[in-house]
Amino acid sequence: MNIDKNLLSQLANLDDKSLTAAIRMVAMSGGVNIGNEPFSKERLDALRAAMRGATDDDLANAKKLFEGYKKS
């Protein structure tokens, strides 16, 4: 999956239920178990703000981190 600003914008515009499902899917595809606890409205809103404000540098750093986890 290629994560870019366009994808982050699309994700940020999802309703809470769809965004939560997307988060869980991405985590599972990366081999990360985040459990089944619901995400609070505040956390989802903070995530949306972070996604909307992400810079190209932020995306590059996130990609490096994710690749590091995949190698473990």
Side-chain angles (χ1 to χ4, degrees), residues 3-13 44-62:
I3 299 176
D4 59 18
K5 287 183 185 181
N6 185 46
L7 178 59
L8 288 180
S9 177
Q10 290 174 0
L11 289 170
N13 289 323
L44 290 173
D45 288 346
L47 178 59
R48 284 187 178 97
M51 289 189 292
R52 289 183 176 123
T55 65
D56 290 331
D57 286 342
D58 294 331
L59 292 173
N61 289 333

Side-chain angles (χ1 to χ4, degrees), residues 21-34:
I23 292 166
R24 294 191 191 288
M25 181 198 65
V26 169
M28 282 181 32
S29 73
V32 177
N33 180 359
I34 59 173

